[in-house]
PDB file of all heavy atoms in Angstrom:
ATOM      1  N   GLN A   1     -20.039  38.033  31.387  1.00 98.00           N
ATOM      2  CA  GLN A   1     -18.729  37.953  31.941  1.00 98.00           C
ATOM      3  C   GLN A   1     -17.888  37.067  31.067  1.00 98.00           C
ATOM      4  O   GLN A   1     -18.164  35.895  30.874  1.00 98.00           O
ATOM      5  CB  GLN A   1     -18.750  37.426  33.392  1.00 98.00           C
ATOM      6  CG  GLN A   1     -17.411  36.887  33.920  1.00 98.00           C
ATOM      7  CD  GLN A   1     -17.463  35.398  34.103  1.00 98.00           C
ATOM      8  OE1 GLN A   1     -18.284  34.863  34.777  1.00 98.00           O
ATOM      9  NE2 GLN A   1     -16.499  34.721  33.445  1.00 98.00           N
ATOM     10  N   THR A   2     -16.858  37.623  30.436  1.00 98.00           N
ATOM     11  CA  THR A   2     -16.115  36.905  29.402  1.00 98.00           C
ATOM     12  C   THR A   2     -15.261  35.793  30.007  1.00 98.00           C
ATOM     13  O   THR A   2     -14.936  35.766  31.187  1.00 98.00           O
ATOM     14  CB  THR A   2     -15.201  37.864  28.630  1.00 98.00           C
ATOM     15  OG1 THR A   2     -14.256  38.476  29.498  1.00 98.00           O
ATOM     16  CG2 THR A   2     -15.968  38.911  27.889  1.00 98.00           C
ATOM     17  N   GLY A   3     -14.870  34.848  29.122  1.00 97.00           N
ATOM     18  CA  GLY A   3     -14.118  33.648  29.541  1.00 97.00           C
ATOM     19  C   GLY A   3     -12.616  33.951  29.581  1.00 97.00           C
ATOM     20  O   GLY A   3     -11.893  33.615  28.618  1.00 97.00           O
ATOM     21  N   MET A   4     -12.197  34.606  30.629  1.00 96.00           N
ATOM     22  CA  MET A   4     -10.779  34.942  30.779  1.00 96.00           C
ATOM     23  C   MET A   4      -9.919  33.819  31.258  1.00 96.00           C
ATOM     24  O   MET A   4     -10.172  33.301  32.337  1.00 96.00           O
ATOM     25  CB  MET A   4     -10.609  36.188  31.731  1.00 96.00           C
ATOM     26  CG  MET A   4     -11.403  37.419  31.352  1.00 96.00           C
ATOM     27  SD  MET A   4     -11.505  38.624  32.704  1.00 96.00           S
ATOM     28  CE  MET A   4     -12.858  37.908  33.657  1.00 96.00           C
ATOM     29  N   GLY A   5      -8.919  33.497  30.497  1.00 92.00           N
ATOM     30  CA  GLY A   5      -8.067  32.321  30.872  1.00 92.00           C
ATOM     31  C   GLY A   5      -7.502  32.464  32.258  1.00 92.00           C
ATOM     32  O   GLY A   5      -6.931  33.517  32.642  1.00 92.00           O
ATOM     33  N   TRP A   6      -7.682  31.442  33.047  1.00 92.00           N
ATOM     34  CA  TRP A   6      -7.177  31.332  34.441  1.00 92.00           C
ATOM     35  C   TRP A   6      -7.923  32.229  35.435  1.00 92.00           C
ATOM     36  O   TRP A   6      -7.676  32.165  36.640  1.00 92.00           O
ATOM     37  CB  TRP A   6      -5.670  31.618  34.504  1.00 92.00           C
ATOM     38  CG  TRP A   6      -4.810  30.745  33.690  1.00 92.00           C
ATOM     39  CD1 TRP A   6      -4.038  31.105  32.671  1.00 92.00           C
ATOM     40  CD2 TRP A   6      -4.673  29.341  33.819  1.00 92.00           C
ATOM     41  NE1 TRP A   6      -3.419  30.029  32.112  1.00 92.00           N
ATOM     42  CE2 TRP A   6      -3.803  28.952  32.793  1.00 92.00           C
ATOM     43  CE3 TRP A   6      -5.213  28.380  34.668  1.00 92.00           C
ATOM     44  CZ2 TRP A   6      -3.402  27.574  32.626  1.00 92.00           C
ATOM     45  CZ3 TRP A   6      -4.886  27.049  34.434  1.00 92.00           C
ATOM     46  CH2 TRP A   6      -3.993  26.669  33.496  1.00 92.00           C
ATOM     47  N   VAL A   7      -8.849  33.087  34.923  1.00 96.00           N
ATOM     48  CA  VAL A   7      -9.568  33.983  35.825  1.00 96.00           C
ATOM     49  C   VAL A   7     -11.017  33.565  35.993  1.00 96.00           C
ATOM     50  O   VAL A   7     -11.543  33.549  37.062  1.00 96.00           O
ATOM     51  CB  VAL A   7      -9.461  35.409  35.303  1.00 96.00           C
ATOM     52  CG1 VAL A   7     -10.332  36.367  36.138  1.00 96.00           C
ATOM     53  CG2 VAL A   7      -8.028  35.931  35.272  1.00 96.00           C
ATOM     54  N   SER A   8     -11.635  33.230  34.847  1.00 97.00           N
ATOM     55  CA  SER A   8     -13.064  32.900  34.855  1.00 97.00           C
ATOM     56  C   SER A   8     -13.293  31.431  35.238  1.00 97.00           C
ATOM     57  O   SER A   8     -13.608  30.548  34.404  1.00 97.00           O
ATOM     58  CB  SER A   8     -13.629  33.156  33.509  1.00 97.00           C
ATOM     59  OG  SER A   8     -13.483  34.519  33.165  1.00 97.00           O
ATOM     60  N   GLY A   9     -13.060  31.156  36.555  1.00 97.00           N
ATOM     61  CA  GLY A   9     -13.282  29.830  37.005  1.00 97.00           C
ATOM     62  C   GLY A   9     -14.710  29.628  37.483  1.00 97.00           C
ATOM     63  O   GLY A   9     -15.602  30.464  37.268  1.00 97.00           O
ATOM     64  N   ALA A  10     -14.943  28.510  38.220  1.00 98.00           N
ATOM     65  CA  ALA A  10     -16.279  28.208  38.657  1.00 98.00           C
ATOM     66  C   ALA A  10     -16.860  29.246  39.588  1.00 98.00           C
ATOM     67  O   ALA A  10     -18.094  29.585  39.464  1.00 98.00           O
ATOM     68  CB  ALA A  10     -16.305  26.781  39.317  1.00 98.00           C
ATOM     69  N   ARG A  11     -16.079  29.739  40.490  1.00 98.00           N
ATOM     70  CA  ARG A  11     -16.601  30.701  41.481  1.00 98.00           C
ATOM     71  C   ARG A  11     -17.060  31.968  40.787  1.00 98.00           C
ATOM     72  O   ARG A  11     -18.217  32.451  41.048  1.00 98.00           O
ATOM     73  CB  ARG A  11     -15.501  31.021  42.536  1.00 98.00           C
ATOM     74  CG  ARG A  11     -15.945  32.034  43.562  1.00 98.00           C
ATOM     75  CD  ARG A  11     -14.769  32.363  44.525  1.00 98.00           C
ATOM     76  NE  ARG A  11     -15.133  33.427  45.450  1.00 98.00           N
ATOM     77  CZ  ARG A  11     -14.300  34.283  45.935  1.00 98.00           C
ATOM     78  NH1 ARG A  11     -13.054  34.238  45.537  1.00 98.00           N
ATOM     79  NH2 ARG A  11     -14.666  35.196  46.777  1.00 98.00           N
ATOM     80  N   LEU A  12     -16.268  32.542  39.920  1.00 98.00           N
ATOM     81  CA  LEU A  12     -16.669  33.842  39.261  1.00 98.00           C
ATOM     82  C   LEU A  12     -17.834  33.574  38.334  1.00 98.00           C
ATOM     83  O   LEU A  12     -18.774  34.408  38.250  1.00 98.00           O
ATOM     84  CB  LEU A  12     -15.493  34.366  38.478  1.00 98.00           C
ATOM     85  CG  LEU A  12     -15.661  35.711  37.780  1.00 98.00           C
ATOM     86  CD1 LEU A  12     -15.953  36.794  38.783  1.00 98.00           C
ATOM     87  CD2 LEU A  12     -14.463  36.098  36.918  1.00 98.00           C
ATOM     88  N   THR A  13     -17.845  32.457  37.618  1.00 98.00           N
ATOM     89  CA  THR A  13     -18.916  32.179  36.660  1.00 98.00           C
ATOM     90  C   THR A  13     -20.226  32.019  37.423  1.00 98.00           C
ATOM     91  O   THR A  13     -21.245  32.571  37.003  1.00 98.00           O
ATOM     92  CB  THR A  13     -18.627  30.883  35.920  1.00 98.00           C
ATOM     93  OG1 THR A  13     -17.360  31.065  35.188  1.00 98.00           O
ATOM     94  CG2 THR A  13     -19.702  30.535  34.933  1.00 98.00           C
ATOM     95  N   ALA A  14     -20.217  31.300  38.469  1.00 98.00           N
ATOM     96  CA  ALA A  14     -21.453  31.044  39.268  1.00 98.00           C
ATOM     97  C   ALA A  14     -21.953  32.380  39.901  1.00 98.00           C
ATOM     98  O   ALA A  14     -23.160  32.622  39.938  1.00 98.00           O
ATOM     99  CB  ALA A  14     -21.235  30.019  40.358  1.00 98.00           C
ATOM    100  N   ALA A  15     -21.025  33.207  40.353  1.00 98.00           N
ATOM    101  CA  ALA A  15     -21.419  34.493  40.944  1.00 98.00           C
ATOM    102  C   ALA A  15     -22.074  35.390  39.964  1.00 98.00           C
ATOM    103  O   ALA A  15     -23.095  36.049  40.245  1.00 98.00           O
ATOM    104  CB  ALA A  15     -20.195  35.145  41.580  1.00 98.00           C
ATOM    105  N   THR A  16     -21.580  35.382  38.765  1.00 98.00           N
ATOM    106  CA  THR A  16     -22.167  36.228  37.673  1.00 98.00           C
ATOM    107  C   THR A  16     -23.546  35.657  37.322  1.00 98.00           C
ATOM    108  O   THR A  16     -24.523  36.410  37.129  1.00 98.00           O
ATOM    109  CB  THR A  16     -21.282  36.197  36.407  1.00 98.00           C
ATOM    110  OG1 THR A  16     -19.988  36.664  36.749  1.00 98.00           O
ATOM    111  CG2 THR A  16     -21.844  37.104  35.368  1.00 98.00           C
ATOM    112  N   ALA A  17     -23.664  34.342  37.172  1.00 98.00           N
ATOM    113  CA  ALA A  17     -24.912  33.737  36.821  1.00 98.00           C
ATOM    114  C   ALA A  17     -25.971  34.043  37.880  1.00 98.00           C
ATOM    115  O   ALA A  17     -27.170  34.374  37.589  1.00 98.00           O
ATOM    116  CB  ALA A  17     -24.723  32.226  36.610  1.00 98.00           C
ATOM    117  N   ASN A  18     -25.614  33.858  39.169  1.00 98.00           N
ATOM    118  CA  ASN A  18     -26.563  34.121  40.243  1.00 98.00           C
ATOM    119  C   ASN A  18     -26.935  35.585  40.356  1.00 98.00           C
ATOM    120  O   ASN A  18     -28.014  35.922  40.968  1.00 98.00           O
ATOM    121  CB  ASN A  18     -25.954  33.663  41.597  1.00 98.00           C
ATOM    122  CG  ASN A  18     -25.981  32.108  41.705  1.00 98.00           C
ATOM    123  OD1 ASN A  18     -26.943  31.489  41.273  1.00 98.00           O
ATOM    124  ND2 ASN A  18     -25.005  31.538  42.348  1.00 98.00           N
ATOM    125  N   ALA A  19     -26.134  36.485  39.794  1.00 98.00           N
ATOM    126  CA  ALA A  19     -26.480  37.899  39.754  1.00 98.00           C
ATOM    127  C   ALA A  19     -27.319  38.267  38.576  1.00 98.00           C
ATOM    128  O   ALA A  19     -27.727  39.471  38.461  1.00 98.00           O
ATOM    129  CB  ALA A  19     -25.184  38.709  39.756  1.00 98.00           C
ATOM    130  N   GLY A  20     -27.648  37.319  37.693  1.00 98.00           N
ATOM    131  CA  GLY A  20     -28.504  37.602  36.565  1.00 98.00           C
ATOM    132  C   GLY A  20     -27.849  37.823  35.245  1.00 98.00           C
ATOM    133  O   GLY A  20     -28.528  38.072  34.236  1.00 98.00           O
ATOM    134  N   GLY A  21     -26.495  37.730  35.230  1.00 98.00           N
ATOM    135  CA  GLY A  21     -25.812  37.858  33.963  1.00 98.00           C
ATOM    136  C   GLY A  21     -25.395  36.470  33.416  1.00 98.00           C
ATOM    137  O   GLY A  21     -25.758  35.440  33.985  1.00 98.00           O
ATOM    138  N   LEU A  22     -24.645  36.482  32.314  1.00 98.00           N
ATOM    139  CA  LEU A  22     -24.119  35.196  31.782  1.00 98.00           C
ATOM    140  C   LEU A  22     -22.650  35.053  32.151  1.00 98.00           C
ATOM    141  O   LEU A  22     -21.796  35.810  31.683  1.00 98.00           O
ATOM    142  CB  LEU A  22     -24.259  35.199  30.239  1.00 98.00           C
ATOM    143  CG  LEU A  22     -23.758  33.843  29.661  1.00 98.00           C
ATOM    144  CD1 LEU A  22     -24.786  32.714  29.882  1.00 98.00           C
ATOM    145  CD2 LEU A  22     -23.462  33.962  28.126  1.00 98.00           C
ATOM    146  N   GLY A  23     -22.382  34.139  33.063  1.00 98.00           N
ATOM    147  CA  GLY A  23     -21.019  33.838  33.389  1.00 98.00           C
ATOM    148  C   GLY A  23     -20.417  32.740  32.479  1.00 98.00           C
ATOM    149  O   GLY A  23     -21.221  31.900  32.045  1.00 98.00           O
ATOM    150  N   ILE A  24     -19.170  32.874  32.130  1.00 98.00           N
ATOM    151  CA  ILE A  24     -18.581  31.896  31.204  1.00 98.00           C
ATOM    152  C   ILE A  24     -17.292  31.328  31.855  1.00 98.00           C
ATOM    153  O   ILE A  24     -16.379  32.082  32.198  1.00 98.00           O
ATOM    154  CB  ILE A  24     -18.232  32.574  29.867  1.00 98.00           C
ATOM    155  CG1 ILE A  24     -19.526  33.104  29.198  1.00 98.00           C
ATOM    156  CG2 ILE A  24     -17.489  31.651  28.946  1.00 98.00           C
ATOM    157  CD1 ILE A  24     -19.298  33.847  27.890  1.00 98.00           C
ATOM    158  N   ILE A  25     -17.240  30.010  31.926  1.00 98.00           N
ATOM    159  CA  ILE A  25     -16.009  29.344  32.381  1.00 98.00           C
ATOM    160  C   ILE A  25     -14.967  29.404  31.314  1.00 98.00           C
ATOM    161  O   ILE A  25     -15.244  29.118  30.109  1.00 98.00           O
ATOM    162  CB  ILE A  25     -16.312  27.837  32.642  1.00 98.00           C
ATOM    163  CG1 ILE A  25     -17.386  27.695  33.751  1.00 98.00           C
ATOM    164  CG2 ILE A  25     -15.030  27.090  33.027  1.00 98.00           C
ATOM    165  CD1 ILE A  25     -17.852  26.263  33.949  1.00 98.00           C
ATOM    166  N   ALA A  26     -13.753  29.779  31.670  1.00 97.00           N
ATOM    167  CA  ALA A  26     -12.645  29.810  30.727  1.00 97.00           C
ATOM    168  C   ALA A  26     -12.007  28.402  30.680  1.00 97.00           C
ATOM    169  O   ALA A  26     -11.097  28.143  31.471  1.00 97.00           O
ATOM    170  CB  ALA A  26     -11.590  30.851  31.131  1.00 97.00           C
ATOM    171  N   ALA A  27     -12.502  27.501  29.841  1.00 96.00           N
ATOM    172  CA  ALA A  27     -12.011  26.157  29.813  1.00 96.00           C
ATOM    173  C   ALA A  27     -10.791  26.003  28.910  1.00 96.00           C
ATOM    174  O   ALA A  27     -10.120  24.936  28.953  1.00 96.00           O
ATOM    175  CB  ALA A  27     -13.131  25.245  29.291  1.00 96.00           C
ATOM    176  N   ALA A  28     -10.493  27.038  28.087  1.00 91.00           N
ATOM    177  CA  ALA A  28      -9.369  26.857  27.095  1.00 91.00           C
ATOM    178  C   ALA A  28      -8.072  26.420  27.731  1.00 91.00           C
ATOM    179  O   ALA A  28      -7.374  25.548  27.229  1.00 91.00           O
ATOM    180  CB  ALA A  28      -9.231  28.184  26.321  1.00 91.00           C
TER     181      ALA A  28
END
């Protein structure tokens, strides 16, 4: 799950990780 600015926050990143993929926080 790519690091989309303002979209890839903690909730989306953790949900992807818990589903077995790689979630990425958009920190930029």
